[in-house]
Amino acid sequence: MAEGNTARLHHAGKDYDLAVLSPTAGPDVVDIRKLYSEAGVFTYDPGFTSTASCDSTITYIDGDKGELWYRGYPIEQLAAQSHYLEVCYLLLYGELPTPDQLVDFETRITRHTMVHEQMHYFFRGFRRDSHPMATMVGVVGAMSAFYHDSIDINDPVQREIASIRLIAKVPTIAAMAYKYSLGQPFVYPRNELDYASNFLHMCFSVPAEPYNVDPALARAMDRIFTLHADHEQNASTSTVRLAGSSGANPFACIAAGIACLWGPAHGGANQACLEMLRQIGSVDRIPEFIARAKDKNDPFRLMGFGHRVYKNFDPRAKVMKESADEVLDLMGVHNNPTLQVAKELEKIAREDEYFVSKKLYPNVDFYSGIILEAMGFPTSMFTPIFALSRTVGWISQWKEMIADPQNKIGRPRQLYIGAPRRDYKPLDAR
Ligand code: SDX
């Protein structure tokens, strides 16, 4: 990035010149790294609405234009012309692979999709009705108990192996969490299947009969993985980076990312959104819920709407909406009431002054649940699918941070508004 003009801060009778750094795309940033040491003040930005936590070359979002690029390539082009493992290569290594590089990468991923057989016993410790995200946090974190030969973060070879293992094994663990919740036997990965087909096979096949993956369904699944692969410094990615900044091993960092993604304000919104659409139930009840979403005294929010960065249509939601019609037709689901409610809700909300003035548009989670439900997944599997898709983004951002010579432990400060210094008061004096 280029250093150009400076920003001047005038505080307590003194002027401080702060460097302004210019990016490839997006807003300039004011470099405040020396602010505290020179001016003795902190900046204050709860929720980091105006704060860049790092520099990165991986993903760019233009919230006003509704643009999303992975390594400079627009998401619409990747969703239409690429496939998930090629996108994984792009996110991890920065360039689209040559044919030989792609074959080699896909082979490496395929060869790591099985998990250590003893990991099967971890699942026994969970109740069958556990949320699969709880299981995933536990089992992915436990990978560091099995793959000791890839937890030295200072060894680039081990960082690479850990990255491949995570991209390859998290879908297997997600499918195992699903099978465990059903009381069905785990299904081993199949090396002859592509990544998306393998995941569908591990989720939906049973030993009692053959299961053939519908290629069109696999393509829709693969596109969903691509749309969720990375999204710059969102809450879960920032969690992975902060955990990684302490030197924690990659499996622990990804488990932390999964835990953060689970929240309904973040990756848990896809499950919450479908449950909301079901609760609305019919088009005539939409005004009631719109009114609740606008009521400051009601904590209800329209799940799948709004975004910290996008103040325009989330480009992923556009692709997802097109895919919803395609998948529902494929699955023979016509006049799906949930989709009818979603489309009408989107139409009404986008004409409503409250949503227009606050620039609240459907986000990636608004339509994804409708597709996943049509594919046969329960709502509890929606966020695990988001997590397995985002694993490549998390690990790419983690690798970028670890390899950055500027990398140091993340340690924000605070605005202390608690009690002033005071002396201890013995019990008999209180
Ligand atoms: C993801 O960061 C990422 O990139 C995340 C993600 C990724 O790929 O990693 O894109 C994935 O998490 C998508 C977001 C999924 N979450 C939801 O759909 C949950 C519903 N949305 C909201 O909770 C909210 O919009 C957030 C959390 C997504 C964004 O919140 P912000 O940026 O903190 O915005 P805000 O809460 O300050 O809202 C601004 C205003 C507020 O009103 P005022 O206080 O200004 O009067 O808009 C209102 C909010 O009350 N508002 C909503 C709303 N979202 C915001 N009102 C009703 N319904 C909503 N959904």
Side-chain angles (χ1 to χ4, degrees):
M1 71 220 111
E3 284 205 29
N5 51 349
T6 58
R8 172 158 295 178
L9 172 73
H10 181 77
H11 172 66
K14 285 184 72 177
D15 288 339
Y16 302 90
D17 285 339
L18 303 168
V20 174
L21 311 177
S22 298
T24 309
D28 284 351
V29 300
V30 177
D31 185 342
I32 58 165
R33 281 174 286 184
K34 296 194 175 72
L35 184 64
Y36 180 57
S37 61
E38 290 179 2
V41 292
F42 297 147
T43 59
Y44 181 65
D45 185 16
F48 312 119
T49 50
S50 304
T51 295
S53 61
C54 62
D55 48 59
S56 179
T57 61
I58 300 173
T59 294
Y60 172 68
I61 302 171
D62 186 317
D64 294 325
K65 295 180 187 165
E67 287 183 0
L68 167 59
W69 310 338
Y70 291 164
R71 299 287 190 179
Y73 295 98
I75 190 65
E76 298 85 353
Q77 293 182 25
L78 293 171
Q81 302 175 56
S82 184
H83 65 276
Y84 183 68
L85 281 190
E86 182 176 76
V87 167
C88 287
Y89 186 98
L90 174 66
L91 289 169
L92 276 171
Y93 306 116
E95 296 297 337
L96 289 169
T98 63
D100 289 349
Q101 287 169 333
L102 183 57
V103 168
D104 170 62
F105 181 71
E106 289 181 335
T107 304
R108 280 191 293 152
I109 294 292
T110 300
R111 296 253 174 253
H112 282 280
T113 49
M114 284 178 70
V115 296
H116 190 295
E117 193 67 6
Q118 274 184 236
M119 288 185 77
H120 290 204
Y121 302 126
F122 274 131
F123 289 83
R124 305 263 178 276
F126 293 92
R127 287 170 48 123
R128 291 278 180 177
D129 59 356
S130 308
H131 194 291
M133 284 297 276
T135 314
M136 284 186 74
V137 169
V139 178
V140 171
M143 286 175 76
S144 51
F146 282 90
Y147 301 106
H148 303 101
D149 61 346
S150 61
I151 57 174
D152 176 358
I153 65 161
N154 299 307
D155 177 350
V157 172
Q158 293 194 35
R159 294 203 298 264
E160 175 70 11
I161 295 170
S163 306
I164 296 294
R165 278 174 166 158
L166 281 157
I167 294 167
K169 296 180 194 299
V170 171
T172 306
I173 292 169
M176 291 170 78
Y178 176 48
K179 284 305 205 184
Y180 185 72
S181 73
L182 295 176
Q184 290 183 2
F186 298 138
V187 175
Y188 287 98
R190 305 280 315 170
N191 288 354
E192 76 276 13
L193 296 177
D194 64 66
Y195 193 88
S197 301
N198 204 13
F199 178 67
L200 291 169
H201 182 262
M202 289 189 288
C203 288
F204 295 129
S205 75
V206 290
E209 59 188 27
Y211 174 80
N212 299 311
V213 180
D214 181 324
L217 204 54
R219 258 196 318 279
M221 186 83 266
D222 189 275
R223 191 182 309 126
I224 285 177
F225 292 163
T226 293
L227 292 172
H228 288 83
D230 193 49
H231 214 236
E232 62 146 82
Q233 306 312 318
N234 59 85
S236 52
T237 299
S238 299
T239 300
V240 170
R241 280 181 172 259
L242 199 55
S245 73
S246 76
N249 74 69
F251 305 110
C253 294
I254 299 303
I258 294 172
C260 176
L261 186 76
W262 194 1
H266 191 14
N270 52 20
Q271 173 174 350
C273 179
L274 195 90
E275 288 163 355
M276 174 194 75
L277 293 171
R278 281 198 193 128
Q279 189 188 1
I280 294 173
S282 62
V283 169
D284 60 345
R285 290 196 65 202
I286 290 177
E288 170 195 336
F289 284 83
I290 293 269
R292 285 189 58 195
K294 292 155 68 171
D295 178 357
K296 277 286 159 230
N297 300 316
D298 188 333
F300 173 79
R301 284 193 165 183
L302 278 188
M303 303 316 282
F305 259 81
H307 199 277
R308 170 61 57 76
V309 178
Y310 289 122
K311 302 309 171 189
N312 196 327
F313 222 99
D314 182 331
R316 302 168 297 176
K318 278 183 188 168
V319 179
M320 209 71 87
K321 184 177 177 182
E322 290 155 16
S323 189
D325 289 322
E326 177 193 317
V327 170
L328 290 173
D329 284 347
L330 183 71
M331 301 305 288
V333 177
H334 302 296
N335 304 318
N336 176 306
T338 312
L339 181 60
Q340 303 317 321
V341 169
K343 287 186 172 179
E344 185 63 18
L345 177 59
E346 177 201 334
K347 180 173 171 296
I348 294 174
R350 291 187 61 193
E351 291 162 359
D352 182 288
E353 175 49 29
Y354 174 91
F355 293 89
V356 171
S357 63
K358 293 180 186 297
K359 298 183 178 180
L360 301 174
Y361 289 83
N363 59 46
V364 68
D365 295 309
F366 189 65
Y367 285 103
S368 57
I370 292 165
I371 300 172
L372 294 173
E373 183 186 55
M375 286 179 166
F377 290 105
T379 54
S380 60
M381 277 301 290
F382 292 2
T383 310
I385 288 168
F386 193 150
L388 78 88
S389 310
R390 184 57 57 86
T391 295
V392 65
W394 288 330
I395 205 68
S396 300
Q397 300 267 351
W398 173 82
K399 283 180 75 178
E400 180 179 66
M401 176 195 69
I402 297 291
D404 181 349
Q406 290 188 91
N407 170 38
K408 58 171 64 174
I409 190 165
R411 207 290 186 202
R413 301 305 301 270
Q414 63 177 10
L415 170 67
Y416 177 67
I417 53 173
R421 190 189 182 286
R422 52 187 171 167
D423 293 326
Y424 180 77
K425 195 177 287 183
L427 191 58
D428 56 13
R430 292 177 209 156

